[in-house]
Amino acid sequence: MGKIKTVEIVIRGDIVEKNLLLKLADMLKTSELRADFSSSVAVPPFLVAVEKHYPSLAVLYATVDLEDLFQFKALVEELCRSEACEIISCKEL
């Protein structure tokens, strides 16, 4: 890997119900991007959230090779768009 950047991405939507993090991991496995991420997910009281469709929040901390940074961001944007989730913020640390 070349120079590594850390990116913080906050996503809002049905993170758990749509297996968003698993889908992102699968997309990274099949791509040739040099990236990985850790995450924290905050879910409102789960049964109420599922019943009333309250969104949850995921905070991703991704380590990405500088050469793959724009492609990684595009991958996350594409996934969020297809799963009807919203990227609240995306910043390089």
Side-chain angles (χ1 to χ4, degrees):
M1 285 186 119
K3 185 170 175 142
I4 302 295
K5 286 297 251 181
T6 301
V7 181
E8 178 189 73
I9 303 172
V10 180
I11 301 172
R12 181 174 62 193
D14 292 330
I15 308 294
V16 176
E17 285 183 357
K18 295 183 178 182
N19 279 330
L20 192 77
L21 301 177
L22 181 60
K23 289 177 183 177
L24 178 58
D26 287 341
M27 291 172 80
L28 281 176
K29 278 193 260 184
T30 58
S31 75
E32 298 207 5
L33 298 177
R34 294 162 292 185
D36 201 357
F37 68 94
S38 61
S39 64
S40 295
V41 179
V43 181
F46 195 77
L47 295 177
V48 176
V50 169
E51 181 181 310
K52 296 188 177 185
H53 299 287
Y54 290 154
S56 51
L57 288 175
V59 180
L60 308 179
Y61 291 98
T63 52
V64 184
D65 190 287
L66 187 58
E67 294 177 5
D68 295 331
L69 185 59
F70 292 112
Q71 291 175 318
F72 176 76
K73 287 180 181 179
L75 184 81
V76 173
E77 288 172 0
E78 174 190 331
L79 177 62
C80 287
R81 191 177 318 108
S82 69
E83 296 297 330
C85 292
E86 178 184 6
I87 296 176
I88 301 299
S89 72
C90 181
K91 61 183 173 181
E92 297 176 29
L93 303 177

